[in-house]
Amino acid sequence: MNKLSFKITLFYFFGILMIFILSSAIVYNILEHQQVESELESLQERGNSHRDVLSTNFDKQTVEHVVLMEEKAMTDVIILDKNNQVVDSSNDAEQFLNPDWIQKKDGIVEGNWREGKFLVTVSNIEDGGQIIMLEPTKYIQHLMGELKQQVVFSLFLLVLFLLVSVYFLSYIIIKPLLSMKEATVKLSKGEVLKIREAERSDEVGDLARAITKLSVDLRHIQNTRKQFLTSITHELRTPITYIKGYAGLLKKDESRFGDIIYEESERLQELIEDLFELARLEEPHFQIDPQITEMNDFLKKISERIIFKFEEKQVKLILQINKTPIYKEIDQARFDQVLLNLLDNALKYTHANKRVFLKLDENFIEVTDEGGGVDEQSLPYLFDRFYRVDSSRNRETGGTGLGLAITKEIVEAHKGTIVAINVENGLKVVIDLRGIPG
């Protein structure tokens, strides 16, 4: 309902349809009025013509001539003398004579074509007498019925035209936009795009070419960044190893500065290892080694390995697994890394005497803590590299800022997805397993 194509279709369809209905109603009323007025004027003129003839010669022969003329027409005539007695009429029209008509002066007596049987006009003869003209309304009703049919048929043709137009509008405009929307989803994954609409010479083609160029530029930037990470990581690993080794010798001499250098070199080495790991995950030839794994047992073993850390901090780890076996094709070593990282993060920000939940069902793995959650504005960026919710956190809890980025890369390498959401007492991280073969 919220799609642009649906809104354009509704606006285009109902807009033109309403314009057509209103204009048709106006035209129909105008034509109806003009037709009835024309029939009444013609009927009045016909009566006046007979009156002029009979005013000169009101004899039997002239009366019969007038009656004979009307018997062959769609109209009828009733001729009255000066005593308002019927002299003659065409097609026995005198049976329809209404006494009220006799009292009327020249002009239209009956003009309601919808409810009345006749249109009636009266023409008074100068020396007395009347010419009453009748025209059955069935002819006008038939004519108006045909006009309505034409309007309905035109409406049908218009609706057909609108449906065809909407189809072509969707094909020419909406379909390319949807195609480019799908392309931008691939763009966010770093793929180089090939959009068919780029061959067009209109504005849609310009947009498609701009998006294609953007994808090429982004791929170049990503490749440059990956190469930089790989190169700098390799270059730093050896010197850091030497620094850490010499710092260890200083520690043996009980040097305060040796302790500081050793501690900082350990943090730096951890950062370099995380960078190296991230660079490896982003390499095109990186592959996981999936194996059919029973997920209940897998999570149980992980919780048993890490439970002592939770007990040291007096945080309770609650494992909620499924009663029925759940099988997924995962790289056990990599998924082990994912879950240990998520549980370690949950433990860092959960205070003593609180709980952390590790839950498994058929399609999801959830890690939920009671650490108070994070700011809603920070949620979309939790899995970005080097992102920290609170930049003022001390180095003990802040980590390198790469753990969740590595976690996301591993989950997506398995064709899964990972998101974080705030819950009542903390943060819940959800791994969607539906894309992972079982």
Side-chain angles (χ1 to χ4, degrees), residues 35-36 39-40 43 74-76 110-120 134-145:
Q35 183 65 33
V36 173
E39 294 294 331
L40 288 171
L43 193 64
M74 291 190 300
T75 55
D76 287 307
E110 294 285 352
N112 188 348
W113 65 273
R114 289 187 177 88
E115 297 178 2
K117 291 184 177 181
F118 299 96
L119 297 178
V120 181
L134 292 79
E135 180 178 344
T137 56
K138 62 182 181 181
Y139 299 118
I140 296 179
Q141 291 170 352
H142 177 72
L143 181 64
M144 293 303 162

mmCIF file of all heavy atoms in Angstrom, residues 35-36 39-40 43 74-76 110-120 134-145:
data_model
loop_
_atom_site.group_PDB
_atom_site.id
_atom_site.type_symbol
_atom_site.label_atom_id
_atom_site.label_comp_id
_atom_site.label_asym_id
_atom_site.label_seq_id
_atom_site.Cartn_x
_atom_site.Cartn_y
_atom_site.Cartn_z
ATOM 1 N N GLN A 35 -31.666 19.050 -25.786
ATOM 2 C CA GLN A 35 -32.550 18.193 -26.562
ATOM 3 C C GLN A 35 -34.011 18.441 -26.203
ATOM 4 O O GLN A 35 -34.865 18.554 -27.090
ATOM 5 C CB GLN A 35 -32.175 16.728 -26.308
ATOM 6 C CG GLN A 35 -32.980 15.728 -27.117
ATOM 7 C CD GLN A 35 -32.731 15.846 -28.608
ATOM 8 O OE1 GLN A 35 -31.622 16.170 -29.029
ATOM 9 N NE2 GLN A 35 -33.777 15.606 -29.410
ATOM 10 N N VAL A 36 -34.311 18.511 -24.913
ATOM 11 C CA VAL A 36 -35.691 18.738 -24.477
ATOM 12 C C VAL A 36 -36.166 20.118 -24.934
ATOM 13 O O VAL A 36 -37.301 20.274 -25.438
ATOM 14 C CB VAL A 36 -35.801 18.581 -22.946
ATOM 15 C CG1 VAL A 36 -37.198 18.978 -22.468
ATOM 16 C CG2 VAL A 36 -35.498 17.148 -22.535
ATOM 17 N N GLU A 39 -36.884 19.951 -28.621
ATOM 18 C CA GLU A 39 -38.140 19.257 -28.911
ATOM 19 C C GLU A 39 -39.336 20.132 -28.574
ATOM 20 O O GLU A 39 -40.321 20.169 -29.328
ATOM 21 C CB GLU A 39 -38.203 17.947 -28.125
ATOM 22 C CG GLU A 39 -37.178 16.902 -28.535
ATOM 23 C CD GLU A 39 -37.416 16.377 -29.945
ATOM 24 O OE1 GLU A 39 -38.584 16.372 -30.385
ATOM 25 O OE2 GLU A 39 -36.439 15.995 -30.606
ATOM 26 N N LEU A 40 -39.278 20.835 -27.450
ATOM 27 C CA LEU A 40 -40.395 21.706 -27.048
ATOM 28 C C LEU A 40 -40.551 22.877 -28.016
ATOM 29 O O LEU A 40 -41.680 23.249 -28.386
ATOM 30 C CB LEU A 40 -40.186 22.205 -25.619
ATOM 31 C CG LEU A 40 -40.377 21.151 -24.514
ATOM 32 C CD1 LEU A 40 -39.930 21.698 -23.169
ATOM 33 C CD2 LEU A 40 -41.847 20.709 -24.436
ATOM 34 N N LEU A 43 -42.011 21.532 -31.183
ATOM 35 C CA LEU A 43 -43.425 21.217 -30.987
ATOM 36 C C LEU A 43 -44.269 22.480 -30.956
ATOM 37 O O LEU A 43 -45.362 22.539 -31.559
ATOM 38 C CB LEU A 43 -43.582 20.426 -29.684
ATOM 39 C CG LEU A 43 -44.919 19.735 -29.438
ATOM 40 C CD1 LEU A 43 -45.174 18.660 -30.489
ATOM 41 C CD2 LEU A 43 -44.956 19.120 -28.045
ATOM 42 N N MET A 74 -44.241 11.953 -35.673
ATOM 43 C CA MET A 74 -44.099 11.403 -34.318
ATOM 44 C C MET A 74 -44.929 12.194 -33.320
ATOM 45 O O MET A 74 -45.030 11.816 -32.160
ATOM 46 C CB MET A 74 -42.617 11.439 -33.872
ATOM 47 C CG MET A 74 -41.726 10.465 -34.626
ATOM 48 S SD MET A 74 -40.088 10.326 -33.877
ATOM 49 C CE MET A 74 -39.521 12.004 -34.002
ATOM 50 N N THR A 75 -45.483 13.275 -33.756
ATOM 51 C CA THR A 75 -46.303 14.119 -32.888
ATOM 52 C C THR A 75 -47.781 13.917 -33.215
ATOM 53 O O THR A 75 -48.148 13.363 -34.251
ATOM 54 C CB THR A 75 -45.935 15.592 -33.070
ATOM 55 O OG1 THR A 75 -46.047 15.932 -34.454
ATOM 56 C CG2 THR A 75 -44.496 15.854 -32.616
ATOM 57 N N ASP A 76 -48.625 14.364 -32.304
ATOM 58 C CA ASP A 76 -50.071 14.315 -32.499
ATOM 59 C C ASP A 76 -50.658 15.688 -32.233
ATOM 60 O O ASP A 76 -50.053 16.522 -31.547
ATOM 61 C CB ASP A 76 -50.713 13.284 -31.549
ATOM 62 C CG ASP A 76 -50.402 11.858 -31.987
ATOM 63 O OD1 ASP A 76 -50.655 11.544 -33.167
ATOM 64 O OD2 ASP A 76 -49.874 11.074 -31.152
ATOM 65 N N GLU A 110 -46.829 20.804 -20.705
ATOM 66 C CA GLU A 110 -46.163 19.683 -20.042
ATOM 67 C C GLU A 110 -44.731 19.583 -20.591
ATOM 68 O O GLU A 110 -44.553 19.398 -21.804
ATOM 69 C CB GLU A 110 -46.894 18.363 -20.297
ATOM 70 C CG GLU A 110 -48.296 18.285 -19.689
ATOM 71 C CD GLU A 110 -48.256 18.074 -18.185
ATOM 72 O OE1 GLU A 110 -47.145 17.829 -17.658
ATOM 73 O OE2 GLU A 110 -49.315 18.165 -17.550
ATOM 74 N N GLY A 111 -43.713 19.711 -19.688
ATOM 75 C CA GLY A 111 -42.317 19.643 -20.140
ATOM 76 C C GLY A 111 -41.489 18.605 -19.389
ATOM 77 O O GLY A 111 -40.281 18.495 -19.598
ATOM 78 N N ASN A 112 -42.179 17.841 -18.504
ATOM 79 C CA ASN A 112 -41.466 16.832 -17.711
ATOM 80 C C ASN A 112 -41.405 15.518 -18.486
ATOM 81 O O ASN A 112 -42.342 14.724 -18.474
ATOM 82 C CB ASN A 112 -42.174 16.632 -16.376
ATOM 83 C CG ASN A 112 -41.383 15.749 -15.426
ATOM 84 O OD1 ASN A 112 -40.415 15.102 -15.825
ATOM 85 N ND2 ASN A 112 -41.802 15.719 -14.171
ATOM 86 N N TRP A 113 -40.290 15.302 -19.162
ATOM 87 C CA TRP A 113 -40.164 14.128 -20.020
ATOM 88 C C TRP A 113 -39.864 12.844 -19.239
ATOM 89 O O TRP A 113 -40.061 11.742 -19.738
ATOM 90 C CB TRP A 113 -39.052 14.344 -21.066
ATOM 91 C CG TRP A 113 -37.675 14.477 -20.471
ATOM 92 C CD1 TRP A 113 -37.104 15.610 -20.025
ATOM 93 C CD2 TRP A 113 -36.742 13.426 -20.260
ATOM 94 N NE1 TRP A 113 -35.850 15.366 -19.536
ATOM 95 C CE2 TRP A 113 -35.593 14.015 -19.682
ATOM 96 C CE3 TRP A 113 -36.731 12.052 -20.503
ATOM 97 C CZ2 TRP A 113 -34.468 13.277 -19.336
ATOM 98 C CZ3 TRP A 113 -35.614 11.320 -20.171
ATOM 99 C CH2 TRP A 113 -34.486 11.927 -19.591
ATOM 100 N N ARG A 114 -39.415 12.995 -17.975
ATOM 101 C CA ARG A 114 -39.076 11.814 -17.194
ATOM 102 C C ARG A 114 -40.315 11.110 -16.637
ATOM 103 O O ARG A 114 -40.390 9.883 -16.609
ATOM 104 C CB ARG A 114 -38.143 12.184 -16.039
ATOM 105 C CG ARG A 114 -36.723 12.551 -16.464
ATOM 106 C CD ARG A 114 -35.833 12.724 -15.241
ATOM 107 N NE ARG A 114 -34.453 13.016 -15.604
ATOM 108 C CZ ARG A 114 -33.968 14.213 -15.815
ATOM 109 N NH1 ARG A 114 -34.794 15.281 -15.699
ATOM 110 N NH2 ARG A 114 -32.714 14.399 -16.154
ATOM 111 N N GLU A 115 -41.298 11.898 -16.158
ATOM 112 C CA GLU A 115 -42.460 11.316 -15.485
ATOM 113 C C GLU A 115 -43.721 11.357 -16.348
ATOM 114 O O GLU A 115 -44.594 10.491 -16.223
ATOM 115 C CB GLU A 115 -42.708 12.055 -14.158
ATOM 116 C CG GLU A 115 -41.548 11.918 -13.169
ATOM 117 C CD GLU A 115 -41.809 12.696 -11.894
ATOM 118 O OE1 GLU A 115 -42.901 13.308 -11.779
ATOM 119 O OE2 GLU A 115 -40.930 12.701 -11.021
ATOM 120 N N GLY A 116 -43.827 12.359 -17.196
ATOM 121 C CA GLY A 116 -45.035 12.474 -18.025
ATOM 122 C C GLY A 116 -44.970 11.589 -19.259
ATOM 123 O O GLY A 116 -43.893 11.180 -19.700
ATOM 124 N N LYS A 117 -46.173 11.314 -19.841
ATOM 125 C CA LYS A 117 -46.228 10.510 -21.059
ATOM 126 C C LYS A 117 -46.013 11.355 -22.306
ATOM 127 O O LYS A 117 -45.617 10.832 -23.348
ATOM 128 C CB LYS A 117 -47.575 9.799 -21.160
ATOM 129 C CG LYS A 117 -47.767 8.702 -20.122
ATOM 130 C CD LYS A 117 -49.099 7.973 -20.359
ATOM 131 C CE LYS A 117 -49.272 6.814 -19.379
ATOM 132 N NZ LYS A 117 -50.559 6.087 -19.622
ATOM 133 N N PHE A 118 -46.307 12.664 -22.201
ATOM 134 C CA PHE A 118 -46.221 13.534 -23.375
ATOM 135 C C PHE A 118 -45.570 14.853 -23.019
ATOM 136 O O PHE A 118 -45.660 15.326 -21.873
ATOM 137 C CB PHE A 118 -47.634 13.834 -23.945
ATOM 138 C CG PHE A 118 -48.378 12.620 -24.403
ATOM 139 C CD1 PHE A 118 -49.290 11.993 -23.563
ATOM 140 C CD2 PHE A 118 -48.182 12.098 -25.675
ATOM 141 C CE1 PHE A 118 -49.992 10.875 -23.980
ATOM 142 C CE2 PHE A 118 -48.888 10.987 -26.100
ATOM 143 C CZ PHE A 118 -49.792 10.364 -25.251
ATOM 144 N N LEU A 119 -44.933 15.444 -24.046
ATOM 145 C CA LEU A 119 -44.625 16.866 -24.025
ATOM 146 C C LEU A 119 -45.798 17.561 -24.687
ATOM 147 O O LEU A 119 -46.250 17.136 -25.757
ATOM 148 C CB LEU A 119 -43.338 17.154 -24.807
ATOM 149 C CG LEU A 119 -42.051 16.517 -24.278
ATOM 150 C CD1 LEU A 119 -40.891 16.866 -25.202
ATOM 151 C CD2 LEU A 119 -41.741 16.955 -22.855
ATOM 152 N N VAL A 120 -46.298 18.617 -24.059
ATOM 153 C CA VAL A 120 -47.534 19.244 -24.553
ATOM 154 C C VAL A 120 -47.334 20.743 -24.667
ATOM 155 O O VAL A 120 -46.807 21.383 -23.744
ATOM 156 C CB VAL A 120 -48.729 18.959 -23.615
ATOM 157 C CG1 VAL A 120 -50.006 19.590 -24.154
ATOM 158 C CG2 VAL A 120 -48.901 17.460 -23.415
ATOM 159 N N LEU A 134 -48.986 17.222 -29.009
ATOM 160 C CA LEU A 134 -48.467 16.204 -28.093
ATOM 161 C C LEU A 134 -47.297 15.470 -28.756
ATOM 162 O O LEU A 134 -47.380 15.120 -29.947
ATOM 163 C CB LEU A 134 -49.548 15.186 -27.726
ATOM 164 C CG LEU A 134 -50.740 15.639 -26.874
ATOM 165 C CD1 LEU A 134 -51.770 16.373 -27.706
ATOM 166 C CD2 LEU A 134 -51.384 14.432 -26.184
ATOM 167 N N GLU A 135 -46.272 15.254 -27.986
ATOM 168 C CA GLU A 135 -45.154 14.409 -28.451
ATOM 169 C C GLU A 135 -44.865 13.394 -27.355
ATOM 170 O O GLU A 135 -44.541 13.760 -26.215
ATOM 171 C CB GLU A 135 -43.904 15.231 -28.737
ATOM 172 C CG GLU A 135 -42.750 14.366 -29.210
ATOM 173 C CD GLU A 135 -41.497 15.170 -29.551
ATOM 174 O OE1 GLU A 135 -41.593 16.400 -29.710
ATOM 175 O OE2 GLU A 135 -40.410 14.550 -29.617
ATOM 176 N N PRO A 136 -44.973 12.080 -27.639
ATOM 177 C CA PRO A 136 -44.712 11.056 -26.613
ATOM 178 C C PRO A 136 -43.274 11.180 -26.067
ATOM 179 O O PRO A 136 -42.322 11.336 -26.833
ATOM 180 C CB PRO A 136 -44.902 9.738 -27.375
ATOM 181 C CG PRO A 136 -45.788 10.089 -28.522
ATOM 182 C CD PRO A 136 -45.406 11.487 -28.912
ATOM 183 N N THR A 137 -43.156 11.098 -24.747
ATOM 184 C CA THR A 137 -41.821 11.230 -24.130
ATOM 185 C C THR A 137 -40.967 9.982 -24.321
ATOM 186 O O THR A 137 -39.762 10.010 -24.059
ATOM 187 C CB THR A 137 -41.965 11.504 -22.613
ATOM 188 O OG1 THR A 137 -42.753 10.467 -22.024
ATOM 189 C CG2 THR A 137 -42.619 12.841 -22.362
ATOM 190 N N LYS A 138 -41.564 8.887 -24.798
ATOM 191 C CA LYS A 138 -40.791 7.649 -24.957
ATOM 192 C C LYS A 138 -39.659 7.820 -25.966
ATOM 193 O O LYS A 138 -38.605 7.177 -25.863
ATOM 194 C CB LYS A 138 -41.692 6.491 -25.360
ATOM 195 C CG LYS A 138 -42.384 6.689 -26.710
ATOM 196 C CD LYS A 138 -43.297 5.501 -27.013
ATOM 197 C CE LYS A 138 -43.983 5.680 -28.376
ATOM 198 N NZ LYS A 138 -44.889 4.543 -28.670
ATOM 199 N N TYR A 139 -39.870 8.739 -26.944
ATOM 200 C CA TYR A 139 -38.804 8.956 -27.920
ATOM 201 C C TYR A 139 -37.590 9.640 -27.281
ATOM 202 O O TYR A 139 -36.439 9.276 -27.540
ATOM 203 C CB TYR A 139 -39.329 9.805 -29.090
ATOM 204 C CG TYR A 139 -40.472 9.156 -29.827
ATOM 205 C CD1 TYR A 139 -41.726 9.762 -29.864
ATOM 206 C CD2 TYR A 139 -40.305 7.938 -30.491
ATOM 207 C CE1 TYR A 139 -42.788 9.175 -30.543
ATOM 208 C CE2 TYR A 139 -41.360 7.338 -31.176
ATOM 209 C CZ TYR A 139 -42.588 7.966 -31.184
ATOM 210 O OH TYR A 139 -43.637 7.374 -31.852
ATOM 211 N N ILE A 140 -37.883 10.635 -26.421
ATOM 212 C CA ILE A 140 -36.778 11.322 -25.726
ATOM 213 C C ILE A 140 -36.120 10.384 -24.723
ATOM 214 O O ILE A 140 -34.891 10.352 -24.592
ATOM 215 C CB ILE A 140 -37.296 12.591 -25.019
ATOM 216 C CG1 ILE A 140 -37.821 13.577 -26.053
ATOM 217 C CG2 ILE A 140 -36.203 13.235 -24.182
ATOM 218 C CD1 ILE A 140 -38.377 14.845 -25.464
ATOM 219 N N GLN A 141 -36.955 9.589 -24.024
ATOM 220 C CA GLN A 141 -36.389 8.645 -23.068
ATOM 221 C C GLN A 141 -35.477 7.626 -23.761
ATOM 222 O O GLN A 141 -34.418 7.267 -23.246
ATOM 223 C CB GLN A 141 -37.530 7.923 -22.329
ATOM 224 C CG GLN A 141 -38.309 8.841 -21.388
ATOM 225 C CD GLN A 141 -39.565 8.191 -20.844
ATOM 226 O OE1 GLN A 141 -39.941 7.094 -21.274
ATOM 227 N NE2 GLN A 141 -40.240 8.865 -19.922
ATOM 228 N N HIS A 142 -35.905 7.190 -24.939
ATOM 229 C CA HIS A 142 -35.069 6.264 -25.712
ATOM 230 C C HIS A 142 -33.766 6.932 -26.128
ATOM 231 O O HIS A 142 -32.684 6.327 -26.039
ATOM 232 C CB HIS A 142 -35.843 5.782 -26.934
ATOM 233 C CG HIS A 142 -35.043 4.882 -27.824
ATOM 234 N ND1 HIS A 142 -34.709 3.593 -27.478
ATOM 235 C CD2 HIS A 142 -34.481 5.105 -29.062
ATOM 236 C CE1 HIS A 142 -33.985 3.046 -28.440
ATOM 237 N NE2 HIS A 142 -33.830 3.940 -29.424
ATOM 238 N N LEU A 143 -33.865 8.176 -26.567
ATOM 239 C CA LEU A 143 -32.677 8.923 -26.992
ATOM 240 C C LEU A 143 -31.710 9.119 -25.831
ATOM 241 O O LEU A 143 -30.492 8.923 -25.968
ATOM 242 C CB LEU A 143 -33.095 10.277 -27.570
ATOM 243 C CG LEU A 143 -31.966 11.175 -28.086
ATOM 244 C CD1 LEU A 143 -31.267 10.513 -29.275
ATOM 245 C CD2 LEU A 143 -32.518 12.542 -28.488
ATOM 246 N N MET A 144 -32.253 9.485 -24.657
ATOM 247 C CA MET A 144 -31.406 9.681 -23.480
ATOM 248 C C MET A 144 -30.818 8.354 -22.991
ATOM 249 O O MET A 144 -29.687 8.317 -22.483
ATOM 250 C CB MET A 144 -32.207 10.345 -22.350
ATOM 251 C CG MET A 144 -32.613 11.777 -22.666
ATOM 252 S SD MET A 144 -31.171 12.789 -23.049
ATOM 253 C CE MET A 144 -31.925 14.173 -23.883
ATOM 254 N N GLY A 145 -31.568 7.278 -23.145
ATOM 255 C CA GLY A 145 -31.028 5.962 -22.788
ATOM 256 C C GLY A 145 -29.840 5.597 -23.656
ATOM 257 O O GLY A 145 -28.838 5.063 -23.169
#
